[in-house]
Amino acid sequence: MANIRTMTFDGVIVGGGGSGLRAALELSQSGYKTAVISKVFPTRSHTVSAQGGITCAIASTEPDDDWRWHMYDTVKGSDYIGDQDAIEYMCSEGPQAVFELEHMGLPFSRNEDGRIYQRPFGGQSREYGKGGQAARTCAAADRTGHALLHTLYQANLKNNTVFFNEWYAVDLVKNQHGHVVGLIAICIEDGEVVFIKSKATVLATGGAGRIYASTTNALINTGDGIGMAMRAGVPQQDMEMWQFHPTGIYGAGTLITEGSRGEGGYLVNKDGERFMERYAPNAKDLAGRDVVARSMVLEILEGRGVGPDADHVLLKLDHLGEKVLNDKLPGILELSRTFAHVDPVKEPIPVVPTCHYMMGGIPTNIHGQALGQNPDGTDYVIEGLYACGEAACVSVHGANRLGGNSLLDLVVFGRASGIYIEKMLSSGIEQQEASDSDLELGLSRLDKLNQSSSGEKVADLRKELQVIMQNHFGVFRKGDFMREGIQKLQAMRERIENPHLQDKSNAFNTARVEALELQNLFEVAEATAIAAEGREESRGAHARDDFTERDDDNWLCHSMFFPDTKTLGKRKVNFAPKTVPTFEPMIRTY
Amino acid sequence: MLVSVYRYNPETDLKPSMRDYQIEIPGGKDLMVLDVLAMVKEQDDSVAYRRSCREGVCGSDGMNINGVNGLACITPLSDVVKNDKLVLRPLPGLPVVRDLVVDMSIFYKQYERIEPYLQNDDPVPAIERLQSPEDRAKLDGLYECILCACCSTNCPSFWWNPEKFVGPAGLLQAYRFLADSRDTHTDERLANLEDPFSVFRCRGIMNCVAVCPKGLNPTKAIGHIREMLMERGA
């Protein structure tokens, strides 16, 4: 064995956000030796920033609500490339998963009857789109992610989950048979490198919004799990699908929840016109996020933007009154005052579409098992590897995620992964072994970095990467311009693989972590770029100037990016839910 | 602007020192302290500090900014900088791991000690447990804590007795569960706090309230716990 310490667990979860903690809880409750590896103390994970809520048909504010209506909305929202078996599972299991959170203590806001408060969100309807706007998003004021993450961390404390806080996962260890047998991790505090061996490795590492210059995402959202998976040869699905949230604070990028429009806020252009009435006459400001974001950009491009550079629009909330704003949107008031220097009680908030969510990721089935693809196009399970939450692509979001569905996704599929792993463990799966050379491979990236004596600065390379992505792969995309972007990225690979790590100390070396993160960002960015150029149509969040229409004949499918060859393939979308008829693709209007 | 940063690397430094950086602030911009720290790190990538959400909700970047504890990401320069100088030190009272990074183990241990999770022995209902809006409102000002430790590391009682005094952050969460109509372990929770140190070392000087970046009031919560303990003892 290479000269490092080995630690052994039944299940190891990489990531201490919502999905990782939910998976960990399921496993630790069943008594299996479970470890969570998190590069930050778990409550500092990005789930904490989720605001508006968790969408789920618990039939509280909407007493006759039906999970199948939620399913319909989600399928439509995905622009029909969400997998219907997975969406069916999420929407039907959702109420149970949400009630469990409440039982753990999540401080949901309440209705007069004592039940959980639900608010309207974008893309929600009653009766399969025919019954008007629904109110289906369960909320704890506008701090739902904070409340959810802290509750899950607390539940894990209660169940004695083992935490490796401020440990950074570097790479997966895969053996000659293609089984994932654990991972290499580094303790940030003292620099020790260990092999964490496990029968099941779960990547719950969240998103990678930091590939863009402007994002609502935390600084830690660097796609570490995606990078790790790609280096282990795991394909990535639908990587061109990035959600631009309509309301990031102009200049700062911080998020203003869609719940602010759910509570009655609306967008206006420089003429004070409520322009969404033109683009989505029925749902208006509560159309799908892709639709609203594109409409905003069109307003700006057509000269109706606000400000000296006419480069943003305004979100009006003052008409809701101070009481509603204080009760329902206290966090928004705080963020607006801090980052936009405006008081929403009196004046509108300057907003602009901002990179928010990665719909794509590691392809999985509904048990969280990571999938590869055979030459004949069928799936195979990658033994030992699981993924859930934003890092995974089950896919319940397809080409466009609905607001409030990310928290539901991470709870439902974190839980599902835990349940399935528990089943596998109790059926007696064996720990697979890794050879010295398998381990060396997992250590090679770290070794190379530690030996660097020349090269560029990480901060400079990161900025350059983010600007390329922002300019070439934004809300509207065009083939030749994307090809130019891909060339620029490819010219960066050598430089990004060889940055100069000046500081080689062991104690809390954040420079080393940032260099490793940069390499993950790059893998995500390149996959995004190649997938975006390859999908020659417009669907959901992927809007092309040169292919403006949805093309169901050729692209009613997932894209699959294969990291070893850097090529793009296709994968079938699931149209076979188990208990309801298939929702057939239709023209998508709001 | 002159940015003076507390530096200590246990591998190379016998003792800590302050190191100065000259940072060019782009004209007309009121940056956050965290933005400035990122500019320092561009000059010298060996500077260590924690950060994550950069919007004041994750609690990573609590530090001592020109003498006052706060979150670097939501503290604008205009609030703290005088004479064009910014002095950044780690949160006081906790061991320094490196530079601005402190060892928070004792802080977390006190949080864990109050059993920060809902405890209810009644059978679980098929739907959610009901709670009136009035009962839910009792959790406002309590559940929002982000565990940044600005308060506890600003508290002399916590400096002196970090092993025995729970500290403002832990006690705020203790009261969050005492105040929750869904929790049935009030008596056990109070018993766990009934000693001269856990709660009663609070002297009510409100240093915690003065620095809480979320505007919460641990002193008030501690007052409620005191009352509950007195009633229980009476």
Side-chain angles (χ1 to χ4, degrees), chain A residues 40-41 43-44 48-49 58 60 96 99 102-116 140-141 143 146-147 150 153-155 157-158 166 189 210 215-220 252-255 334-335 338-339 341 457 459 463 500 502-503 505-511 514 517, chain B residues 9-11 30 32 34 41-60 73-74 76 97-98 101 103-104 107-108 111-112 116-120 124-134 136 139 143-148 173 176-177 180 182 213-214:
Chain A
V40 293
F41 182 78
T43 63
R44 329 264 184 232
V48 82
S49 291
I58 61 161
S60 165
Q96 182 57 34
F99 294 142
E102 196 283 332
H103 299 154
M104 287 175 216
L106 201 157
F108 281 112
S109 301
R110 300 288 170 155
N111 291 327
E112 281 306 319
D113 64 358
R115 293 205 62 194
I116 293 171
R143 301 189 177 99
H146 170 279
H150 281 251
Y153 178 64
Q154 293 163 350
L157 285 180
K158 192 177 178 183
E166 297 184 326
E189 184 173 328
R210 287 281 152 184
T215 174
T216 64
N217 282 198
L219 292 157
I220 58 170
T254 38
L255 176 69
E334 219 176 283
L335 285 169
T338 307
F339 288 102
H341 309 291
K457 282 166 78 168
K463 260 187 203 163
H500 186 201
Q502 270 187 314
D503 178 7
S505 61
N506 287 315
F508 220 98
N509 186 334
T510 52
E514 287 189 20
E517 288 176 333
Chain B
N9 180 344
E11 287 170 70
D30 189 14
M32 297 295 174
L34 185 66
K41 199 168 172 68
E42 279 178 32
Q43 270 186 27
D44 176 358
D45 71 0
S46 73
V47 178
Y49 57 94
R50 295 186 173 106
R51 82 287 181 276
S52 174
C53 76
R54 61 84 174 89
E55 57 187 21
V57 295
C58 81
S60 296
C73 60
I74 53 168
V97 175
R98 174 173 175 172
V101 177
D103 179 353
M104 295 175 72
F107 173 80
Y108 294 137
Y111 171 67
E112 288 172 30
Y117 33 81
L118 193 82
Q119 299 182 65
N120 185 318
V124 172
I127 58 167
E128 71 269 43
R129 293 182 200 280
L130 301 183
Q131 184 174 46
S132 69
E134 294 72 31
R136 169 59 185 77
L139 308 183
Y143 82 95
E144 300 94 323
C145 171
I146 58 174
L147 299 176
C148 66
Q173 289 319 292
R176 175 249 175 276
F177 288 98
D180 196 322
R182 301 169 297 170
K214 305 308 285 182

Side-chain angles (χ1 to χ4, degrees), chain B residues 16 24 28 47 52 58 88 100 113 116 138 140 152 170 180-181 184 194 213:
Chain B
E24 231 24 80
V47 178
S52 174
C58 81
L88 301 176
L100 300 173
R113 213 193 100 189
K138 292 175 187 158
D140 285 336
S152 293
D180 196 322
S181 61
T184 60
E194 203 168 39

Side-chain angles (χ1 to χ4, degrees), chain A residues 315-343:
Chain A
L315 174 63
K316 192 172 139 50
L317 297 177
D318 58 306
H319 58 285
L320 300 178
E322 194 161 0
K323 182 168 174 1
V324 169
L325 294 174
N326 278 329
D327 284 355
K328 298 296 184 346
L329 302 167
I332 291 314
L333 297 183
E334 219 176 283
L335 285 169
S336 302
R337 287 164 186 158
T338 307
F339 288 102
H341 309 291
V342 302
D343 183 355

